[in-house]
Amino acid sequence: MNAPFFEETQRLRDNPWVLVLIFAVALGPMIPLLYGLYWQIGHGVPWGNEPMEDAELIMLTVFILLTTCTVGFVMASLRLETRIDEAGIHYRMFPVKSKWRVVNPDELEEYSFATRYKPFESGGIGHHRNVLKNMRSFRISGGKHIILKYKNGHRLLLGTQDPGGMEWAIRRLMNKTRV
């Protein structure tokens, strides 16, 4: 493995407000179900206009609890790793795209840096595919990104928190391949 010109890891859990939002969204469906369990099983008072059987209510609550915990775990473990070295631009978004992808500099037509975040262009946080613009985007935090345009017309948007370092590394990579 070559010595990297640039390395960056972005984690969703590094932003505490995102974790608070995930926690709040996860609690949304759980509060009414736990309230219903409390009254129906704890006090024997049927919950709702057409109450479920006790076993059904328990199974629904467990299912929603497991689902929200799984989604919360995936969101908390989400990370974008970017590395630029002599071989190219390497990136992966764990656990969505866990295998390293490599962009060979010979495949690139051009690249550009954007320091202003455009949510309709990048699709927001995570991995998105814009079929109309023929673009894939990987972004977690930071409003800055690079857009790589392939010779076949496809585009790749990679988010970064260090646009200066990434720009320096890409310029170094592209100059090495042209010499």
Side-chain angles (χ1 to χ4, degrees):
M1 185 176 283
N2 301 326
F5 303 147
F6 175 82
E7 275 186 305
E8 181 180 40
T9 301
Q10 298 177 33
R11 290 181 178 85
L12 193 61
R13 67 175 177 247
D14 290 343
N15 187 343
W17 290 109
V18 172
L19 290 179
V20 168
L21 181 65
I22 292 170
F23 187 69
V25 168
L27 277 181
M30 289 306 302
I31 291 173
L33 284 172
L34 292 174
Y35 177 79
L37 273 175
Y38 172 76
W39 281 104
Q40 186 161 326
I41 295 176
H43 293 288
V45 177
W47 180 60
N49 294 337
E50 297 178 23
M52 298 175 140
E53 296 289 325
D54 290 351
E56 292 173 338
L57 186 59
I58 291 171
M59 287 188 330
L60 178 65
T61 305
V62 168
F63 173 76
I64 290 182
L65 178 67
L66 289 175
T67 303
T68 55
C69 287
T70 303
V71 169
F73 174 75
V74 169
M75 296 293 285
S77 65
L78 190 67
R79 71 178 183 264
L80 173 63
E81 298 175 80
T82 308
R83 190 178 75 238
I84 302 172
D85 60 18
E86 292 178 356
I89 303 166
H90 309 263
Y91 66 95
R92 73 176 174 178
M93 182 171 274
F94 184 82
V96 179
K97 300 275 185 186
S98 57
K99 290 178 66 176
W100 282 98
R101 312 267 193 236
V102 181
V103 178
N104 189 331
D106 298 333
E107 300 172 352
L108 294 178
E109 181 179 315
E110 65 181 3
Y111 59 93
S112 61
F113 290 89
T115 57
R116 186 163 172 243
Y117 171 58
K118 300 174 185 173
F120 294 111
E121 183 176 12
S122 69
I125 293 174
H127 167 242
H128 299 278
R129 188 173 198 176
N130 187 334
V131 179
L132 298 174
K133 292 191 174 193
N134 208 9
M135 178 189 294
R136 282 184 183 249
S137 67
F138 295 88
R139 186 177 119 18
I140 290 188
S141 60
K144 296 147 182 76
H145 53 270
I146 180 171
I147 299 174
L148 305 170
K149 185 174 180 186
Y150 291 87
K151 290 179 180 173
N152 64 7
H154 293 281
R155 295 188 307 164
L156 175 68
L157 183 144
L158 292 173
T160 182
Q161 294 176 316
D162 182 12
M166 183 181 263
E167 183 174 4
W168 176 85
I170 288 178
R171 288 183 198 272
R172 182 172 175 191
L173 172 69
M174 297 306 281
N175 288 337
K176 278 191 174 274
T177 59
R178 289 186 185 140
V179 174

